[in-house]
Amino acid sequence: MQPEGPAEQIRSMLARIAHLADTGSVEDYVEQFTREAEWNMPANPDRGIPAQVRRGREEIAAGVRERRAAGIQGPGTFTRHVTTAIAVDVTSETTARADAVWTFYVDTTTTPKLSGVGSYADEFELEDERWRLSRRVISRG
């Protein structure tokens, strides 16, 4: 059963993205994005990640696979993305925006450590009768 309003559907989808980044399949993760989505991440020298702009599900999936292969995130890495303070603004019947705070934890099975904090500036579109992320700009700090 879908939550009733668009804002609640979007909040649920943002939680799902965080869960899928840590424990889900790459395919299920990228299914949360529009076909032409854009994903922007600044450099993260602490984790050895250069700045990235990925466009479309295939490029976004490639980035996820790279981070998983490097042991940075995903099943078996004992990391967690936490998304909070989500403010959703439904801008039309088919578009919305949200701002959220993220935290990233490592070593979650032993001594969990906060590894990063930042924000998401997200845009959404109604595609194939469900809300999907169409643009994410990630900021650190």
Side-chain angles (χ1 to χ4, degrees):
M1 177 182 216
Q2 286 283 343
E4 288 190 29
E8 282 306 311
Q9 291 175 26
I10 289 167
R11 282 186 190 92
S12 181
M13 188 250 307
L14 288 173
R16 186 173 303 108
I17 288 172
H19 292 296
L20 291 169
D22 299 322
T23 61
S25 72
V26 174
E27 295 74 22
D28 288 343
Y29 177 83
V30 297
E31 183 66 22
Q32 307 309 305
F33 293 79
T34 61
R35 286 183 276 290
E36 302 301 321
E38 183 178 305
W39 189 87
N40 300 274
M41 185 176 81
N44 184 339
D46 298 338
R47 307 292 287 169
I49 302 172
Q52 299 177 33
V53 176
R54 305 280 180 160
R55 290 183 178 89
R57 286 182 184 161
E58 288 182 29
E59 284 187 23
I60 293 169
V64 173
R65 287 186 186 99
E66 288 171 12
R67 290 187 300 280
R68 288 181 175 199
I72 294 169
Q73 72 179 56
T77 61
F78 309 110
T79 60
R80 288 286 174 190
H81 290 80
V82 179
T83 307
T84 59
I86 301 167
V88 177
D89 180 23
V90 179
T91 54
S92 78
E93 290 185 13
T94 60
T95 61
R97 289 190 296 253
D99 293 307
V101 174
W102 61 265
T103 51
F104 182 69
Y105 293 88
V106 298
D107 302 328
T108 59
T109 59
T110 54
T111 307
K113 296 178 196 106
L114 179 61
S115 178
V117 176
S119 61
Y120 295 132
D122 292 334
E123 297 175 15
F124 306 88
E125 293 178 16
L126 200 56
E127 182 181 84
D128 299 330
E129 299 185 33
R130 69 180 265 218
W131 289 99
R132 296 177 198 267
L133 189 57
S134 61
R135 185 166 191 260
R136 169 164 276 181
V137 177
I138 303 167
S139 300
R140 295 186 73 213

